[in-house]
Amino acid sequence: MKSFSSIVIILGSMLFISCQAQQEKVNYFANNAFGNPVVGNTAEYYKGVTYVAYQGEHLDPYVAAYDHKKDQWTGPYKAGTNLLGELLPDKVDSHGKPTLVVDGEGYIHLVFGGHGGTPEMGKNPLGNHHAGKQIHVKSKKPLDISQWEEVDNITPFGTYSQFFKMDNGDIYLIFRHGAHRSNWVYQVSRDNCRTFSPKVSFLKAKPVATRPDGTEDWDSWYPDFRKGRGNDIIMVYNYHFCKGGAERHDGERHHGYYMRFDTDNKTWYNVKGEELQIPVTKEYADSMTLVVHTGDRWNHIGHTCLNHDDHPHVSWYEGDYDGSKHGGLKQLVNYRWTGEEWIGGKTNLPVEARGEMKVTSPDSIQYLLGDSEGKNGELAWWLSTDGGRDFIKKEVLVEETGGRFTTSQFIRNAHPDARIVATQKIKGTNYSKVYLVGDNASIVRAKSDADILNIEELKK
Ligand code: ZN
């Protein structure tokens, strides 16, 4: 009998082990991201944990956290309510996807929900209205994403909000002060986001001409930012010609510009080191900060980073105008500053592939790009060793059935296992899966925990 009970115990433990092994793991950590769910600065590694924010169900902000030592996920938790969700289901407005920062005391902050605000919120002194409300929330306790409270200390008129944390602990909040006829502004907090300095405009939106019907054409801007050297913020930007008349707002953007904000002395410089007067206008940008004039070609979404010589590289997506609202298919172009001039141009990278740039030497340029291969989406490194013209595909970090991957910027203070946040649309829905991807692969999670929503039910 003794041997019989041993056999039972052995069989029982084998069954237990096999059940454990059968607990299915998936490469994503959540499947309830919604719309265009991830902004550039959406995650931070802080004291052993990577914190990630994304736009989830009903366009509301959600936060998840991964403890690298314990190999343990928490969340996602809903952190606030996005007023742009009131426009659903007719309009999926992703302008209010959340940006995240962890302050010096370990509290986690998000800003989200803005697309210019509405006239009921008052006059917008630096731009125009559209919808939503820019909102700031903070975790109730340090290092704890389960409970959140609203902090009423920012304007409702922001959109494309982005947090930047400097090495000295200063936290910058950068946003466009309204809809697409608004200045771009920054504010700084030196007390862990309890208060922010007055807003400073650095890019000026302004009317350029009045049409016979009384409507106006405007100069406007689409910038993109990265942390530069020390306490610098570096910036690449494209010009938006915002049309009046019957044509109205569309995706017309041209040219590339570069400038640098030295936050230590609150001064802006062009690539030659000449001090700039802000806010920068179109005419001033053309004479002081132009990288290249794109002529009739339309472009969008810049990237910038520095190489080992601290010379900037810039890139954006550019293509021949085809008469459509967004101007046609766009492919990455890139340029670098040699110390005397900008050189570069077209690449051979896949059209519409999106991602992040990393430069190790002036000639060695890498992109981590989301693209699709047949029925699969993939996130892969592409490398150029000839200064950015010809690229070859290197390591594929994630490959999954479904659509093209999109990415955040590289994560602030990143752990090697969690360099970037990637999302992939779930076909037939407006939902996406969210991935935390490191140097070799994404961090896995039990399928039962990652499947927040029953997507098959939602498709019905
Ligand atoms: Zn416009």
Side-chain angles (χ1 to χ4, degrees), residues 318-339:
E318 188 178 306
D320 289 322
Y321 179 58
D322 69 354
S324 69
K325 193 169 178 265
H326 292 286
L329 287 176
K330 294 182 181 63
Q331 191 170 24
L332 275 160
V333 297
N334 73 60
Y335 296 87
R336 65 190 160 101
W337 178 250
T338 63

Side-chain angles (χ1 to χ4, degrees), residues 28-237:
Y28 53 92
F29 67 85
N31 70 348
N32 67 332
F34 192 79
N36 178 7
V38 172
V39 79
N41 278 295
T42 204
E44 178 167 340
Y45 173 81
Y46 184 83
K47 296 192 175 170
V49 176
T50 300
Y51 298 92
V52 183
Y54 61 91
Q55 177 173 279
E57 295 154 70
H58 211 255
L59 301 173
D60 293 330
Y62 281 75
V63 182
Y66 178 74
D67 186 317
H68 290 261
K69 219 174 242 159
K70 293 183 190 158
D71 182 21
Q72 192 177 76
W73 284 97
T74 47
Y77 290 96
K78 182 180 154 176
T81 299
N82 181 350
L83 299 189
L84 294 169
E86 291 169 3
L87 306 175
L88 292 170
D90 303 326
K91 210 159 180 246
V92 180
D93 184 335
S94 293
H95 273 247
K97 52 203 170 192
T99 181
L100 176 149
V101 74
V102 185
D103 74 24
E105 297 165 28
Y107 289 93
I108 301 136
H109 300 258
L110 308 181
V111 168
F112 65 94
H115 193 175
T118 52
E120 301 86 74
M121 293 167 191
K123 183 174 158 33
N124 179 353
L126 298 172
N128 61 338
H129 298 99
H130 183 68
K133 181 189 179 190
Q134 182 177 248
I135 294 170
H136 172 199
V137 294
K138 173 187 179 185
S139 63
K140 283 191 177 171
K141 294 179 199 156
L143 314 178
D144 178 352
I145 60 170
S146 65
Q147 288 179 295
W148 296 83
E149 61 193 7
E150 200 168 321
V151 187
D152 184 15
N153 64 358
I154 58 170
T155 175
F157 303 122
T159 190
Y160 296 125
S161 324
Q162 297 267 299
F163 273 127
F164 286 85
K165 185 154 90 175
M166 298 294 114
D167 297 344
N168 60 11
D170 288 358
I171 292 173
Y172 280 78
L173 180 62
I174 297 179
F175 53 94
R176 193 177 67 188
H177 202 283
H180 50 99
R181 294 180 168 191
S182 307
N183 287 0
W184 280 82
V185 303
Y186 76 82
Q187 296 179 268
V188 57
S189 176
R190 298 218 163 84
D191 56 4
N192 294 321
C193 301
R194 284 184 187 86
T195 61
F196 288 92
S197 69
K199 288 164 285 192
V200 179
S201 292
F202 58 88
L203 279 180
K204 185 154 184 66
K206 63 175 173 59
V208 283
T210 305
R211 296 192 177 208
D213 66 0
T215 61
E216 291 172 323
D217 295 330
W218 276 61
D219 288 336
S220 186
W221 303 100
Y222 284 90
D224 205 63
F225 312 90
R226 297 291 185 284
K227 194 172 165 299
R229 185 185 149 93
N231 293 316
D232 283 358
I233 293 172
I234 56 176
M235 173 181 158
V236 58
Y237 50 115

Side-chain angles (χ1 to χ4, degrees), residues 180 240 242 249:
H180 50 99
H240 170 48
C242 191
H249 172 72

